[in-house]
Amino acid sequence: MSIICGVPLLECVYCLACARWAWKRCLHTAGHDSETWGLATAEEFEPVPRLCRYILAVYEEDLRHPLFEPPGGYGINPDWLILRKTYENTQGRAPPYILYLDHDHADIVLAIRGLNLAKESDYQVLLDNKLGKKKFDGGYVHNGLLKAAGWVLEAECDILKELVEKHPNYTLTFAGHSLGSGVAAMLALVVVRHHDKLGNIDRRRIRCYAIAPARCMSLNLAVRYADVINSVVLQDDFLPRTATPLEDIFKSVFCLPCLLCMRCMRDTCIPEEKMLRDPRRLYAPGRLYHIVERKPFRLGRFPPVVRTAVPVDGRFEHIVLSCNATSDHAIIWIEREARRAMDWYRWIKAMIKKNRPVHFN
């Protein structure tokens, strides 16, 4: 009898906790995450839309006869494509990728596609992790993503070494989206740490662009490798904000109430300070770029503003309750808004050259 009487009390406590959590989330907007950050320059953000198009090109079966080109095309010369690996080639150990020799920008680019919801092997990569399972260079990383990166490096080590030595003035860029962003970030870590594998390549030649990044490394590594790794987040994107382990997210990917319930109870019962002090906690990697193109309580989209920082706290710690949380994760939208941001930069530069005033609302 006493147990039955306690059930309504537990329901009341749970409802109050959910109401408190929802109220806090509704008051939090994406702009709050980066409101104290500085503005990115056009020069440092310039590679982002181009690399987004390269990642999109991984989805094409034949780049000479593309089916899903974005406006303006992929910007890829098919004759400069070194190799293309599919799921059959990787045997599910890593997502598909391409290796492209970009002579126009003096860049060797390895671009990796994002999660394929229809491929069990992609889930296996994500599920191969537990909090604190894998140590690396004095910190913690996602075990499955590190193993996938190790497989890619082992498979392409010889060709990468040959290209790096043949083109000593070219940069080596790893780029990926979603699942691929985590693999790209791990690749950058491994190559920097074991640069002898690629002919003692200088750290300054290595770059990584993690688009819509997964939380894949501990805070000390995220800050220490900020000169190499760059993470790009569009407005309300859910994945960089989801500190819940990736394996739990995709176990409940078809049950959003389960995920929200889990986050609600954890945020209510565990103090935020305690969670942030955990050295095993994973974060979005490197320097962060936040594209903000919507404002709260205002309709429509505005010219994108790109903010950047290497924060040691406030690295997208709170999920934003937004109808755009999943659409902002799509590589197509990120490429579009990144391109709009570059157009906005060029317009401002043209106005300044003409000595015309530029007003920001």
Side-chain angles (χ1 to χ4, degrees), residues 8-191:
L9 179 61
L10 290 175
E11 289 179 347
C12 290
V13 171
Y14 174 71
C15 289
L16 287 172
C18 287
R20 170 185 174 274
W21 181 83
W23 176 250
K24 289 177 66 178
R25 294 289 80 80
C26 287
L27 290 178
H28 182 80
T29 63
H32 291 154
D33 291 322
S34 58
E35 60 186 353
T36 61
W37 299 3
L39 295 177
T41 64
E43 290 73 20
E44 62 181 314
F45 193 72
E46 180 273 331
V48 173
R50 171 167 52 87
L51 293 172
C52 285
R53 291 192 290 273
Y54 293 175
I55 295 169
L56 281 169
V58 183
Y59 294 79
E60 293 282 2
E61 293 186 2
D62 184 1
L63 284 173
R64 295 186 184 277
H65 303 92
L67 300 176
F68 313 107
E69 270 190 309
Y74 293 114
I76 284 183
N77 184 339
D79 295 329
W80 297 346
L81 187 67
I82 305 298
L83 59 85
R84 176 179 179 272
K85 292 291 180 72
T86 64
Y87 281 107
E88 289 71 26
N89 302 128
T90 66
Q91 299 178 341
R93 297 184 181 182
Y97 57 88
I98 61 171
L99 181 59
Y100 179 62
L101 188 58
D102 188 353
H103 291 294
D104 290 336
H105 299 92
D107 200 5
I108 304 164
V109 183
L110 196 153
I112 310 170
R113 66 157 286 167
L115 176 75
N116 186 338
L117 291 173
K119 284 291 182 180
E120 183 181 347
S121 58
D122 281 3
Y123 292 100
Q124 291 175 345
V125 172
L126 287 171
L127 297 177
D128 184 13
N129 190 59
K130 288 183 179 179
L131 189 64
K133 180 176 182 179
K134 186 64 178 180
K135 285 188 174 183
F136 183 90
D137 195 17
Y140 294 89
V141 296
H142 188 286
N143 184 62
L145 295 174
L146 181 64
K147 287 168 64 175
W151 187 92
V152 174
L153 184 60
E154 188 68 25
E156 313 305 343
C157 184
D158 292 338
I159 185 71
L160 286 174
K161 183 178 179 181
E162 179 185 338
L163 290 172
V164 165
E165 292 178 342
K166 185 177 179 181
H167 305 280
N169 296 322
Y170 282 32
T171 52
L172 174 62
T173 301
F174 302 106
H177 168 251
S178 189
L179 171 66
S181 72
V183 178
M186 294 297 103
L187 271 168
L189 256 65
V190 174
V191 171

Side-chain angles (χ1 to χ4, degrees), residues 37-38 286-289 307-311 315:
W37 299 3
R287 171 173 286 277
L288 302 179
Y289 291 89
R307 303 169 183 162
T308 184
V310 187
R315 298 177 72 93

Side-chain angles (χ1 to χ4, degrees), residues 191-206:
V191 171
V192 170
R193 181 70 173 168
H194 303 285
H195 54 89
D196 55 303
K197 285 182 173 290
L198 299 184
N200 291 311
I201 182 173
D202 188 79
R203 179 179 180 130
R204 290 171 293 182
R205 293 179 62 190
I206 304 169

Side-chain angles (χ1 to χ4, degrees), residues 39-49 53 232-234 289-293 302-307 333-349 360:
L39 295 177
T41 64
E43 290 73 20
E44 62 181 314
F45 193 72
E46 180 273 331
V48 173
R53 291 192 290 273
V232 181
V233 179
L234 174 59
Y289 291 89
H290 191 200
I291 306 174
V292 180
E293 41 84 34
F302 295 83
V305 174
V306 183
R307 303 169 183 162
W333 280 105
I334 298 172
E335 187 276 333
R336 173 182 170 179
E337 296 305 324
R339 182 161 36 86
R340 287 184 64 218
M342 286 307 302
D343 292 342
W344 180 239
Y345 278 127
R346 296 187 188 99
W347 181 83
I348 293 175
K349 189 174 181 180
F360 298 93

